[in-house]
Amino acid sequence: PSTFTHEFNAPAFKAKVSFNTGLFINGQFVDGSDNTTIDVINPTNGKVITSVSEGTPKDVDLAVDAAHAAFDTAWGLHTPGAQRSILMSKLVALMEKNADELAALEALDNGKTFNWARNIDVAGSIDCIRYYAGWADKITGQVQETTEDKLTYSRHEPIGVVGQIIPWNFPLLMMAWKIGPALACGNTVVLKPSEFTPLTAIRMCHLINEAGFPPGVVNVLTGYGNTTGNAISSHMRIEKVAFTGSTIVGRKIMEAAARSNLKNVTLELGGKSPNIIFDDADIEQAVNWAIFGIFWNHGQTCTAGSRIFVQEGIYDEFFKRFMEKTRSLKIGDPFAPDTFQGPQVSEIQFNRIMSYIESGKAAGAKVEIGGERHGSEGYFIKPTIFTNVDPSMKIVQEEIFGPVCVLIKFKDEEDVIKQANDTLYGLAAAVFTQDLNRALNTAHRLKAGTAWINCVNSFNSNVPFGGFKQSGIGRECGDYALTNYTAVKAVHVNLGHKM
Ligand code: TXE
């Protein structure tokens, strides 16, 4: 397989990085069976960074074979939880050792800033694997009291080979959220990163080998969704699939699972999250969080607070400050220390977002700031604020997944809760107020899997995450995720009951 080599020369990271970029099957880096490759593009300038092997359905079969062999001999019921925990902790130590490199790869490949990548993506991934390393030796069933001549208990067994398909917006973090609970519970993994951002997943495979995981426990196939991804979701010998990505593809995953072997499905999908700011909010904090809510990660966050509802009494002041702060955001090189926003991930996403912006303009919404590309090369889009919107507009209903928000004035609690819940999504919601009753009442009435009070886009490895409505099925993170990766078996032992 080919080798990726890059000389980083950023203030925070100066180093020459080089590693193999093949498919990772049974602990080896190999070419795809068709010998084809996928170009990896640098979103700051549209140029090719490197190319990686392209997986095919045949490669998925090979990876599934390796994962089954590992499950049957070296992992699953063959490795005590404590041993899994030790290996996962070794991986954590290696991730810490290579944290700057992982952050630099993420910045290069995805376009997010090195600082955010280091402090959120990489730090969060390390925290996640550490958290699940702690669970690996604490996964137990229960004893059920039945009758005195019988012993009945349940075992929480690993499922077997699990498939995981992840997106490009948080490449490393989504890998950690997926492999963390799967490995802790004793499953073996066939994972496909996004074709747009494969580099950190490949680098992780090197660290997985270095940590000493048995070959075949983790297999990573770079490849496209409709081939490699579809081969995973429709595979007859994969018992569970976990997916993060668009709602459209989420449906396809579920259909493929239903048509093949009825594998378990968990889905983490899109959102159109409301961010509600009441008159009594701490205005400076509300502005700062609202900025972070929508513009952080270039709006490419499933929980992005893309619909900002501001109460009448505070609206004009909020608007003024929100505009000022938006104007001050620095867009540019992800490796420059003061950059807040880098490029969108790909040309496809750039075009998609620009067409949403055009649709907003055509429908009569007002662009208060932004609404156009930044610079002349790469996929940069200026932070964009729309006002004068109505609920029928696409920019109010659909997930844009870019630095674009709509600002909507509201009257009172009833009014805003009705509007906030008027969406087919239900991933997250935020409310800003100093009134405790109002904060909790509103948080409880919002139809969303996460409700933030006086903050936005805040995550913890031990807190469940997932969507209501069409934002998904199942919960990741916390002990909730363990149930996605265990099969419960009831064992009945006859202690003397005669027939
Ligand atoms: O996502 P896809 P795309 C949303 C966001 C964005 C839109 C499109 O609104 O604008 O999706 O992004 C794999 N069978 N989110 O098209 O296609 C694909 O290869 C199996 C929200 O890039 O859903 C990749 O690995 N797999 C989101 C993964 O699915 C398939 C994050 C996600 O890509 C497949 C990303 C198929 N038929 C996008 N087709 C979030 N919830 O955070 C594609 N894939």
Side-chain angles (χ1 to χ4, degrees), residues 165-169 192-196 223-226 229-230 233 243-246 249 252-253 268-270 301-302 349 352 399-401:
I165 301 171
I166 58 172
W168 43 261
N169 55 339
K192 191 192 88 62
S194 166
E195 56 273 31
F196 296 109
Y224 291 107
N226 55 6
N230 182 56
S233 52
F243 171 75
T244 299
S246 59
V249 173
K252 291 187 188 169
I253 303 273
E268 202 263 277
L269 310 174
T301 310
C302 47
Q349 285 301 118
R352 206 167 170 261
E399 181 176 56
I400 300 175
F401 228 58

Side-chain angles (χ1 to χ4, degrees), residues 326-392:
T326 302
R327 208 170 282 121
S328 74
L329 298 176
K330 188 155 178 301
I331 312 175
D333 175 11
F335 287 94
D338 58 344
T339 298
F340 176 84
Q341 184 184 316
Q344 307 306 129
V345 73
S346 66
E347 191 177 0
I348 296 175
Q349 285 301 118
F350 175 89
N351 289 334
R352 206 167 170 261
I353 296 160
M354 290 310 291
S355 81
Y356 272 115
I357 291 174
E358 290 316 313
S359 93
K361 290 177 182 168
K366 182 174 178 208
V367 177
E368 297 286 357
I369 190 168
E372 58 189 9
R373 78 178 300 157
H374 168 90
S376 55
E377 66 165 11
Y379 313 131
F380 296 88
I381 296 179
K382 289 184 182 167
T384 300
I385 303 172
F386 275 107
T387 58
N388 258 348
V389 297
D390 75 61
S392 67

Side-chain angles (χ1 to χ4, degrees), residues 30-283:
V30 297
D31 287 326
S33 58
D34 281 355
N35 266 311
T36 45
T37 56
I38 301 174
D39 284 345
V40 182
I41 307 294
N42 180 345
T44 59
N45 56 21
K47 295 192 176 131
V48 176
I49 304 170
T50 187
S51 42
V52 299
S53 300
E54 181 188 354
T56 66
K58 191 171 165 217
D59 298 315
V60 174
D61 284 341
L62 295 174
V64 172
D65 289 344
H68 270 289
F71 185 78
D72 291 341
T73 56
W75 203 247
L77 303 176
H78 302 274
T79 304
Q83 178 60 16
R84 298 200 294 272
S85 179
I86 288 169
L87 284 172
M88 291 175 76
S89 300
K90 283 189 182 156
L91 179 60
V92 167
L94 288 167
M95 290 169 76
E96 279 172 332
K97 192 172 146 203
N98 294 282
D100 286 346
E101 182 187 327
L102 289 167
L105 289 169
E106 207 75 309
L108 176 73
D109 197 358
N110 166 282
K112 62 179 71 200
T113 68
F114 175 83
N115 285 338
W116 289 125
R118 179 69 187 80
N119 297 326
I120 297 194
D121 298 70
V122 177
S125 303
I126 290 170
D127 189 73
C128 174
I129 305 283
R130 179 188 289 121
Y131 171 79
Y132 284 108
W135 268 115
D137 60 353
K138 297 171 193 69
I139 293 160
T140 59
Q142 302 167 5
V143 174
Q144 286 83 21
E145 298 302 340
T146 50
T147 53
E148 287 306 300
D149 55 5
K150 190 167 148 179
L151 167 65
T152 322
Y153 59 95
S154 57
R155 278 160 62 82
H156 292 188
E157 297 183 356
I159 293 174
V161 178
V162 300
Q164 307 187 318
I165 301 171
I166 58 172
W168 43 261
N169 55 339
F170 293 94
L172 183 66
L173 190 63
M174 290 305 103
M175 181 176 189
W177 280 24
K178 296 283 184 285
I179 67 171
L183 296 177
C185 295
N187 302 278
T188 55
V189 169
V190 176
L191 177 140
K192 191 192 88 62
S194 166
E195 56 273 31
F196 296 109
T197 53
L199 294 182
T200 44
I202 299 172
R203 185 68 184 99
M204 279 289 282
C205 296
H206 291 267
L207 301 183
I208 284 166
N209 265 353
E210 206 178 327
F213 281 83
V217 170
V218 177
N219 303 274
V220 172
L221 303 173
T222 43
Y224 291 107
N226 55 6
T227 51
T228 312
N230 182 56
I232 291 174
S233 52
S234 53
H235 208 283
M236 293 302 286
R237 289 180 297 129
I238 290 181
E239 296 294 333
K240 187 251 168 342
V241 63
F243 171 75
T244 299
S246 59
T247 297
I248 290 177
V249 173
R251 279 182 214 283
K252 291 187 188 169
I253 303 273
M254 226 172 151
E255 280 171 21
R259 279 210 201 93
S260 55
N261 60 345
L262 282 175
K263 55 178 69 63
N264 292 337
V265 177
T266 44
L267 304 173
E268 202 263 277
L269 310 174
K272 191 74 184 173
S273 300
N275 184 1
I276 300 171
I277 294 145
F278 283 105
D279 280 346
D280 66 340
D282 173 333
I283 191 159

